[in-house]
Amino acid sequence: MSLHNRSLLWTVALFTAVNARYVMYLTGQHNHVPDLSLVKDITHVALAFIRADVFNQDRPEEWPLFTSVDAVRSQFAPGTAVMVAIGGWGGTDGFSQAAATASNRKRFAANVKAMVDSTGADGVDVDWEYPGGNGEDYKLVPNVNKSWEVAAYPKLVAEVRSALGPLLLMSAAVPGLRRDMLAFTAETIPQIDHALDFWNVMTYDLMNRRDNMTKHQSGIIESLDAIDAYVDQGVPAEKVNLGFPFYVKWFMTDPNGNCNANPIGCQTLPMEDPSTGVDLGRAGAFCWADEVPSELVNSYVKAMSQGNYDSERGGHYYWDPEDNIFWSWDTPHSIARKFPAIMHTRGLGGVFAWGLGEDASDWTHLRTLTVEYRRYKRTNNKERKHGKDEL
Ligand SMILES: *[C@@H]1O[C@H](CO)[C@@H](O)[C@H](O)[C@H]1NC(C)=O
Ligand SMILES: *[C@@H]1O[C@H](CO)[C@@H](O)[C@H](O)[C@H]1NC(C)=O
């Protein structure tokens, strides 16, 4: 190797070492950004969302985003990457159409590049929930009708990468439950990885209304299972970001479900219509910036004051015996625990949260995540420097 290449390699290595990723989704629902002192560590902001179907038009005339890239840029430290997230929960038809044929994929990719050029973004986050099925419409369109998407998804992301070129950023938000990882196999993962700068593994909502037993929505055991599923099939750990929810989830438990004996792993009421998949109103979520729904205030107050940390599975929860409600959320303590338990043991390259403004009540979760991220970055750099000295 020439001297030039070697020093280039060191530059790249140092650059990576200094820049562990700290990614925040900024959403149209909660477009709140605190003072710069609280966000200066953030390395990437992903604006959520532009719908996927917008990019299937022949010549889209506008990019329906809740803000502008310039407006967002001015609220963060110089050098923070501002990306646009495409998709989100629901609306998978736009992605299905985009992926269906070679010419559709080309048109979609060219439009993504046109959007990036026109908005001045630094790249995109592809948030197809989910290729291969198990999306919002999973009861209406069976997964077998989407099995072709498993092979088409890597082709779509490859086409977008080719339109963006090597310098613009591209990431994907990917499912945290194995049952939803239909398109993420030992065969497809290396192809997808080739196109991406990093992976946002959605290690939250790991209990949702499709479950019938209580568990932690973002617990350590459940999160490790998600991370390992990707890493074992070929995603480099340093390209993985661990996801943190800045919101609380609640679920109605079955009064005869024996939750009294063990609130983790006990029976819930049915939470969605088994034939249509429609939400039955027995589970929900709200973020720290939102008002607590009035019918839940009593139970919520108890949860906040009497919640427990399950140190066996690594999740904070409360089960309300009067109202039969199971609550699951992250506290500063449970956020901090994930650094030794997940970030260090797996050597991950970054963290992200859904989403920044969702923590706008007092920014407690953001502050904790920042402190832990800084500590992680420091130890990581020390370890790498040490490794270099030994060479
Ligand atoms: C799924 O595919 C089958 C067989 O091709 C077809 O008959 C059916 O209409 C499809 N269902 C939906 C909802 O698209
Ligand atoms: C609970 O969910 C599991 C897995 O989805 C399913 O096999 C089982 O039949 C469900 N049990 C009840 C009581 O609904």
Side-chain angles (χ1 to χ4, degrees):
M1 191 188 299
S2 76
L3 200 63
H4 175 76
N5 275 349
R6 194 182 286 275
S7 63
L8 188 70
L9 258 190
W10 280 127
T11 313
V12 172
L14 284 174
F15 186 76
T16 340
V18 173
N19 286 285
R21 290 174 306 268
Y22 188 12
V23 183
M24 281 288 152
Y25 284 94
L26 181 64
T27 72
Q29 304 92 287
H30 299 95
N31 182 12
H32 314 298
V33 178
D35 186 80
L36 185 62
S37 64
L38 291 184
V39 296
K40 64 180 165 38
D41 296 80
I42 291 169
T43 58
H44 302 71
V45 181
L47 308 179
F49 289 104
I50 295 183
R51 297 186 324 271
D53 60 337
V54 168
F55 302 92
N56 293 326
Q57 302 165 58
D58 265 333
R59 290 186 137 269
E61 274 167 17
E62 51 183 34
W63 310 109
L65 192 57
F66 65 93
T67 180
S68 73
V69 169
D70 287 343
V72 171
R73 227 182 254 298
S74 69
Q75 294 172 286
F76 291 85
T80 306
V82 181
M83 303 165 74
V84 172
I86 299 170
W89 183 242
T92 55
D93 286 354
F95 279 120
S96 297
Q97 195 192 342
T101 66
S103 64
N104 284 13
R105 292 192 288 268
K106 275 213 155 38
R107 181 180 57 192
F108 182 88
N111 283 332
V112 168
K113 175 63 161 60
M115 180 278 290
V116 167
D117 288 345
S118 134
T119 59
D122 296 299
V124 293
D125 178 61
V126 177
D127 203 336
W128 181 347
E129 299 180 20
Y130 311 101
N134 271 10
E136 191 179 37
D137 59 353
Y138 82 133
K139 293 283 185 180
L140 305 176
V141 185
N143 288 351
V144 292
N145 289 44
K146 299 190 176 199
S147 55
W148 63 271
E149 293 175 358
V150 175
Y153 175 64
K155 291 182 188 159
L156 181 66
V157 291
E159 200 65 57
V160 175
R161 167 55 76 195
S162 142
L164 291 176
L167 297 180
L168 290 166
L169 294 169
M170 181 177 183
S171 58
V174 295
L177 287 171
R178 285 182 194 258
R179 70 183 182 217
D180 299 325
M181 296 177 195
L182 299 154
F184 303 90
T185 67
E187 196 188 335
T188 61
I189 279 182
Q191 300 167 29
I192 300 162
D193 185 60
H194 193 66
L196 300 181
D197 291 287
F198 53 86
W199 299 65
N200 292 332
V201 180
M202 295 187 277
T203 42
Y204 43 74
D205 295 340
L206 300 176
M207 174 173 180
N208 59 55
R209 69 171 195 251
R210 293 178 187 172
D211 291 298
N212 54 32
M213 311 264 268
T214 57
K215 59 175 167 160
H216 303 301
Q217 70 134 331
S218 56
I220 289 177
I221 297 289
E222 291 81 2
S223 299
L224 284 172
D225 188 50
I227 300 298
D228 290 346
Y230 289 98
V231 172
D232 291 350
Q233 296 189 95
V235 180
E238 68 272 14
K239 286 177 75 174
V240 172
N241 295 335
L242 180 71
F244 291 78
F246 285 174
Y247 54 87
V248 50
K249 297 195 76 152
W250 58 272
F251 304 90
M252 290 177 99
T253 53
D254 186 332
N256 305 312
N258 208 25
C259 292
N260 210 5
N262 191 357
I264 308 297
C266 72
Q267 193 77 33
T268 67
L269 290 176
M271 297 181 286
E272 69 171 21
D273 184 301
S275 58
T276 61
V278 164
D279 189 351
L280 295 175
R282 291 172 178 160
F286 54 91
C287 71
W288 303 117
D290 280 346
E291 208 144 297
V292 180
S294 57
E295 67 279 15
L296 291 169
V297 168
N298 270 337
S299 189
Y300 173 80
V301 169
K302 281 187 278 178
M304 290 304 115
S305 63
Q306 297 171 41
N308 298 305
Y309 185 69
D310 169 3
S311 50
E312 208 171 298
R313 300 192 66 82
H316 202 88
Y317 72 99
Y318 176 70
W319 178 66
D320 179 343
E322 279 112 22
D323 291 346
N324 275 292
I325 299 178
F326 176 78
W327 294 87
S328 177
W329 73 100
D330 266 333
T331 63
H333 173 74
S334 75
I335 290 173
R337 291 297 310 145
K338 290 179 187 178
F339 281 77
I342 307 174
M343 298 299 293
H344 278 286
T345 62
R346 298 306 190 265
L348 302 188
V351 295
F352 75 99
W354 179 276
L356 178 60
E358 277 67 12
D359 198 35
S361 56
D362 60 7
W363 308 107
T364 305
H365 306 83
L366 174 69
R367 283 178 220 267
T368 303
L369 194 51
T370 302
V371 167
E372 297 303 327
Y373 163 77
R374 279 183 193 155
R375 197 199 313 272
Y376 182 69
K377 200 170 86 165
R378 268 201 314 271
T379 5
N380 239 9
N381 283 352
K382 268 197 212 121
E383 279 163 15
R384 287 188 205 224
K385 240 178 142 182
H386 192 60
K388 184 186 163 187
D389 290 344
E390 278 171 359
L391 276 177

